[in-house]
Amino acid sequence: MQANTHRDDSRSPRYYRIYQALLSSIQSGGLKPGDSLPSETSIAQTHDVAPGTARKAVDMLVDRGWVERQHGRGTFVRRADFSHSLARFFRLTDREGVQLHPKSELLGIRELPAPADIARHLEEPEHASLIEIERVRRVDELPLLHEVIYLSRDRFLPLLSLPAEEWGDLLYPLYEQLCGEVVFRATDTLSAGPAPAGPAHHLGLSPGSQVIEITRLAKGYDERPLEWRLSRGRLDWFHYSFDIR
Amino acid sequence: MQANTHRDDSRSPRYYRIYQALLSSIQSGGLKPGDSLPSETSIAQTHDVAPGTARKAVDMLVDRGWVERQHGRGTFVRRADFSHSLARFFRLTDREGVQLHPKSELLGIRELPAPADIARHLEEPEHASLIEIERVRRVDELPLLHEVIYLSRDRFLPLLSLPAEEWGDLLYPLYEQLCGEVVFRATDTLSAGPAPAGPAHHLGLSPGSQVIEITRLAKGYDERPLEWRLSRGRLDWFHYSFDIR
DNA sequence: GAGTGGTCTAGACCACATG
DNA sequence: ATGTGGTCTAGACCACTCA
């Protein structure tokens, strides 16, 4: 037989269409974090292509960080990992370069009607009912960040009845376990501005001091906004480096 | 014949060794930016592997940003591209999100013996002779960044005799054309601190105002430090966003 | 038309993980 | 032993660029 049965109407490459098909079943939630993808040979069979072509589609998912290969075991949908996001902007390592983990202190949680700008970010109707969480993150008792977090009340209702003692250092596992909402990606935006009295106080600054502001919009698999937060940090703790090319 | 003549002593994969060979000839300067790589078929022949294996090695170079494929023409060593580095930290887009290009104004250039910390960064002997360049970068006449740049006097001598009118907006092309020094990568580090009188004045601030500080260490192909610079910018212009996972 | 990269096939054998 | 991913072969044809 001849080598080429790829009788394609001028569409995109076959590996690319397979990549898209797999990706959309991850994004739609059909394949959840930790789930295993079909094996490469079975992907090849279902899409009627050679194994190498199926493999190339999986390669793309790996390159883009959607899945992770484990030799001999399979290929698995990755969980989002934020351990190197925010933290990287601050001096969170000790003198030997070891990563330090900040502790979270819950300052308060309440319901409120959505302010206009936050409603817009969360794609909620104006005055929709939101949950506001305020907390401080510390390393060695030194206040590193002051955070205000907004969530849809309807989707995160269980948080309102969680006793203060049971709030851990990380919120996203709580979202997942209590509310079934999984954060998949986020956009952080950095800028600077004056700190209002409350946050300034918690950071040990006088009101109006310049602070770094980090806003985050976190989204689920389906690209639906889940969380909006504003974190403020002391300028003298701020530090970040990265490589170019 | 049998499919497998890859009688490998348990070393790394063949595509990986080819990748390393190509990379080292880029890093050593044997292949310079703009040069074309050997074609994939000729790479396969010289290394005595199947075309697919050679291609995979080139894939790795492409993925890591060392080279660029041009369909039908060849594969070429990339030039470093800094257009999305520093600039991205500042509000350099207009309301429609179009990228704006800052103009550079040369404030001064002089020789001086290397201060200890800068000598260390540049891996030059203490008190080695350096060139110091001071400039301001503006968008629409608004001062965006104040920069102080340090270079080895010996390697960048031609800059000292360049008339002020001939300094363009970009330094790296000058380095390459006049001095034969090519910047290949850099590390930027962000932090904040008070501005000395000179920089503060140029940014329209009072001395001691908090500013964003961006230090950059730029290196050549051989990883030898070429340039160290300190850029200062107004906090109220500072803005950066990025995606996580 | 010759040469380049881009896609794809249909196999092979190896290394690793698990029951 | 079976199934998974990892490497590799030896071709094919297509799409693009350039002389």
Side-chain angles (χ1 to χ4, degrees):
Chain A
M1 90 182 277
Q2 88 241 39
N4 245 359
T5 320
H6 69 291
R7 288 275 43 83
D8 286 39
D9 45 292
S10 60
R11 281 192 292 166
S12 46
R14 299 168 77 116
Y15 70 83
Y16 187 71
R17 278 178 281 161
I18 297 171
Y19 156 73
Q20 286 179 314
L22 292 169
L23 179 55
S24 82
S25 72
I26 291 172
Q27 286 178 329
S28 71
L31 287 170
K32 298 195 188 315
D35 286 356
S36 74
L37 255 60
S39 76
E40 296 177 358
T41 50
S42 87
I43 291 172
Q45 282 164 8
T46 44
H47 290 82
D48 192 31
V49 295
T53 304
R55 183 169 175 83
K56 180 150 187 173
V58 178
D59 279 343
M60 290 186 69
L61 291 171
V62 173
D63 290 344
R64 287 160 178 68
W66 292 99
V67 303
E68 199 172 32
R69 285 203 179 96
Q70 292 186 33
H71 194 165
R73 299 204 339 110
T75 302
F76 302 87
V77 180
R78 280 181 55 175
R79 244 159 243 285
D81 173 19
F82 291 79
S83 63
H84 290 286
S85 60
L86 241 184
R88 289 176 59 193
F89 285 91
F90 290 85
R91 301 180 196 277
L92 278 182
T93 54
D94 66 13
R95 280 178 185 72
E96 283 75 41
V98 179
Q99 181 84 18
L100 300 173
H101 296 287
K103 300 284 180 193
S104 301
E105 179 190 342
L106 183 68
L107 297 176
I109 177 170
R110 65 190 183 103
E111 293 181 53
L112 79 172
D117 56 335
I118 294 169
R120 202 178 62 251
H121 286 124
L122 289 177
E123 296 174 15
E124 293 278 341
E126 198 149 346
H127 308 305
S129 207
L130 297 187
I131 296 172
E132 183 192 73
I133 300 168
E134 185 184 1
R135 60 178 194 164
V136 174
R137 312 194 73 183
R138 304 174 190 276
V139 167
D140 289 343
E141 305 309 317
L142 283 168
L144 195 71
L145 288 173
H146 174 275
E147 293 187 325
V148 194
I149 296 160
Y150 296 93
L151 305 162
S152 152
R153 178 185 176 281
D154 292 346
R155 280 149 68 191
F156 291 89
L157 204 51
L159 292 180
L160 287 170
S161 44
L162 187 68
E165 311 81 58
E166 296 190 22
W167 290 76
D169 292 327
L170 300 174
L171 290 181
Y172 293 167
L174 277 187
Y175 295 173
E176 190 168 346
Q177 290 154 27
L178 268 66
C179 314
E181 300 284 359
V182 180
V183 171
F184 200 70
R185 48 182 295 271
T187 303
D188 280 11
T189 300
L190 253 81
S191 58
H201 171 257
H202 286 289
L203 293 172
L205 299 169
S206 49
S209 300
Q210 288 286 329
V211 292
I212 285 287
E213 296 174 346
I214 303 157
T215 63
R216 171 182 290 177
L217 181 63
K219 298 182 173 181
Y221 291 94
D222 51 5
E223 295 292 321
R224 205 171 46 157
L226 286 176
E227 177 206 71
W228 187 85
R229 65 165 78 182
L230 171 56
S231 307
R232 294 183 169 94
R234 294 177 59 126
L235 276 177
D236 51 1
W237 283 74
F238 173 72
H239 186 88
Y240 186 57
S241 81
F242 67 103
D243 284 336
I244 305 167
R245 203 84 351 175
Chain B
M1 87 183 282
Q2 88 240 40
N4 245 358
T5 320
H6 70 290
R7 288 274 45 83
D8 286 39
D9 43 292
S10 60
R11 280 191 292 166
S12 47
R14 300 169 75 118
Y15 70 84
Y16 187 72
R17 278 178 281 161
I18 297 171
Y19 157 73
Q20 286 180 313
L22 291 169
L23 179 56
S24 82
S25 70
I26 291 172
Q27 286 179 330
S28 71
L31 287 171
K32 297 193 189 316
D35 286 356
S36 74
L37 255 59
S39 77
E40 295 178 357
T41 50
S42 87
I43 291 172
Q45 281 165 9
T46 41
H47 290 82
D48 193 32
V49 295
T53 304
R55 183 170 176 83
K56 179 149 186 173
V58 177
D59 280 342
M60 291 187 67
L61 291 171
V62 173
D63 290 344
R64 287 161 178 69
W66 293 99
V67 303
E68 198 172 31
R69 285 202 178 97
Q70 292 185 32
H71 194 166
R73 298 205 337 111
T75 302
F76 303 87
V77 179
R78 279 182 58 176
R79 246 158 242 287
D81 172 18
F82 291 79
S83 63
H84 291 285
S85 59
L86 242 182
R88 290 175 61 192
F89 285 91
F90 290 83
R91 301 182 196 277
L92 277 182
T93 53
D94 65 14
R95 279 179 186 71
E96 284 75 43
V98 178
Q99 181 84 18
L100 300 173
H101 296 287
K103 299 284 180 194
S104 300
E105 179 191 342
L106 183 68
L107 297 176
I109 176 170
R110 64 188 183 104
E111 293 182 50
L112 81 171
D117 57 335
I118 295 170
R120 202 179 62 251
H121 285 124
L122 289 176
E123 296 174 16
E124 293 277 341
E126 199 150 347
H127 307 307
S129 206
L130 296 186
I131 296 172
E132 182 192 74
I133 300 168
E134 186 184 1
R135 61 178 193 164
V136 174
R137 312 195 73 183
R138 305 173 190 276
V139 167
D140 289 343
E141 304 309 317
L142 283 169
L144 196 71
L145 289 173
H146 175 276
E147 295 186 323
V148 194
I149 296 159
Y150 296 93
L151 304 162
S152 152
R153 179 184 175 281
D154 292 346
R155 281 148 69 192
F156 291 89
L157 204 52
L159 292 179
L160 288 170
S161 43
L162 187 68
E165 313 81 58
E166 297 190 21
W167 290 76
D169 292 326
L170 300 174
L171 290 181
Y172 293 166
L174 277 186
Y175 294 173
E176 189 168 347
Q177 289 153 28
L178 267 67
C179 315
E181 301 284 0
V182 180
V183 171
F184 202 70
R185 48 181 296 269
T187 302
D188 280 11
T189 300
L190 253 82
S191 57
H201 171 257
H202 286 289
L203 293 172
L205 298 169
S206 50
S209 301
Q210 287 286 330
V211 292
I212 285 287
E213 295 173 346
I214 303 157
T215 62
R216 171 183 290 178
L217 181 62
K219 299 182 173 182
Y221 291 94
D222 51 4
E223 296 292 320
R224 205 171 44 158
L226 285 177
E227 177 206 71
W228 188 87
R229 65 166 76 182
L230 171 56
S231 307
R232 294 184 170 95
R234 295 175 59 127
L235 276 178
D236 51 1
W237 283 74
F238 174 70
H239 186 88
Y240 185 58
S241 82
F242 66 104
D243 285 334
I244 304 166
R245 204 82 352 174

